Amino acid sequence: MPHAGEKVLPVLASLLVFVLALTAGALGSVVGTGSSLVLLPVLVVLYGPRAAVPMMAIASVLGNAARVIAWWRDIRWRAVAIYTAPGVPAAVLGAHTLLTISPRIVDGFLGLFFLAMIPVRRVAAARAWRVRSWHLAIAGAVVGFLTGLVLSTGPLSVPVFTCFGLSGGTFLGTEAASAVVLYVAKLLTFGEFGVLSARLVLQGLVIGAALMVGPFITRRLVRNLRPRLYVLVIDGVLIVAGAGMFATTASPS
């Protein structure tokens, strides 16, 4: 059965996705996640899930790379290394698993997890919980595997890095640098299986180019955003993430 993207004019579909990508890039550059949550439902409808997942992975590399450039001086590279050392092999394993099983059950559990993280984050902040280096390594392995397996795990890394004591530009740059490493590992695995066609790569690059604009538009906003409002925005993204995972679970293949 043809997808919507095959029924509408290709130029019109590409324009729609590009405009949405600009909006998603602005959102993601404020809270550190959210780009995939905005774009993936549209990409799945237009191109189907088999194309949407690697397409979004390519775009995410570029989008996160822009945040790395924007916040380069604030990045905690030691945290990136601790997080990605176990995360890379886990992402490769997750990508292998994605190509053999349906991720719907995992999406359902992730939906519950995202919603549960809202009160957990608030309790953690009230009691001054802190993620230590060994916690960060374990989280990297878990999130790395899920990054390879499911559509979007950005909201998982938000509480991990914020509870590690990072915020603002330091959080955005460090989380983005870690995400780039994990997504590259995922893409290399897709490449080994011949999933990345030339057309798919080109579409991913176009979307990624739009995502790259966001961090430079919103950098001043991030610097001036009040901590309380920042927390509310992240909670909103977690709610959308949970709803999006449940929608993915309920949608037809």
Side-chain angles (χ1 to χ4, degrees):
M1 182 177 179
H3 294 285
E6 299 172 4
K7 299 179 181 179
V8 300
L9 292 174
V11 175
L12 182 60
S14 298
L15 180 61
L16 170 64
V17 171
F18 188 83
V19 172
L20 286 174
L22 287 174
T23 304
L27 171 65
S29 59
V30 170
V31 299
T33 186
S35 301
S36 298
L37 303 176
V38 173
L39 285 172
L40 271 169
V42 178
L43 295 179
V44 169
V45 170
L46 290 176
Y47 305 109
R50 288 185 179 274
V53 175
M55 193 184 302
M56 194 64 233
I58 295 170
S60 294
V61 169
L62 295 182
N64 281 293
R67 289 205 287 274
V68 170
I69 295 171
W71 300 105
W72 180 266
R73 294 183 178 180
D74 299 304
I75 295 175
R76 300 283 183 83
W77 291 106
R78 180 173 177 272
V80 174
I82 293 172
Y83 188 80
T84 58
V88 166
V92 171
L93 178 60
H96 276 277
T97 306
L98 173 64
L99 298 174
T100 58
I101 68 169
S102 171
R104 287 191 171 196
I105 295 178
V106 180
D107 284 348
F109 280 116
L110 277 177
L112 291 173
F113 181 84
F114 291 156
L115 296 179
M117 281 310 303
I118 296 174
V120 169
R121 285 181 63 250
R122 292 183 177 273
V123 170
R127 298 187 178 184
W129 288 356
R130 286 291 179 267
V131 169
R132 308 299 179 188
S133 295
W134 67 274
H135 296 141
L136 194 63
I138 294 174
V142 173
V143 176
F145 177 77
L146 294 175
T147 296
L149 179 62
V150 298
L151 296 180
S152 174
T153 55
L156 280 172
S157 61
V158 169
V160 171
F161 284 102
T162 54
C163 288
F164 191 66
L166 308 183
S167 63
T170 302
F171 156 69
L172 292 172
T174 304
E175 193 278 337
S178 302
V180 167
V181 177
L182 296 184
Y183 274 114
V184 167
K186 180 176 182 174
L187 283 173
L188 290 175
T189 305
F190 283 153
E192 288 182 7
F193 282 84
V195 176
L196 302 177
S197 66
R199 180 182 177 184
L200 188 151
V201 170
L202 178 60
Q203 290 169 324
L205 291 175
V206 170
I207 297 169
L211 291 179
M212 292 183 75
V213 178
F216 302 98
I217 295 175
T218 60
R219 183 162 53 178
R220 180 174 296 179
L221 173 62
V222 171
R223 293 191 185 279
N224 297 327
L225 199 62
R226 296 180 179 179
R228 182 175 177 80
L229 180 58
Y230 191 84
V231 170
L232 291 176
V233 172
I234 291 178
D235 285 349
V237 171
L238 289 172
I239 292 173
V240 173
M245 285 300 176
F246 288 132
T248 301
T249 303
S251 65
S253 300

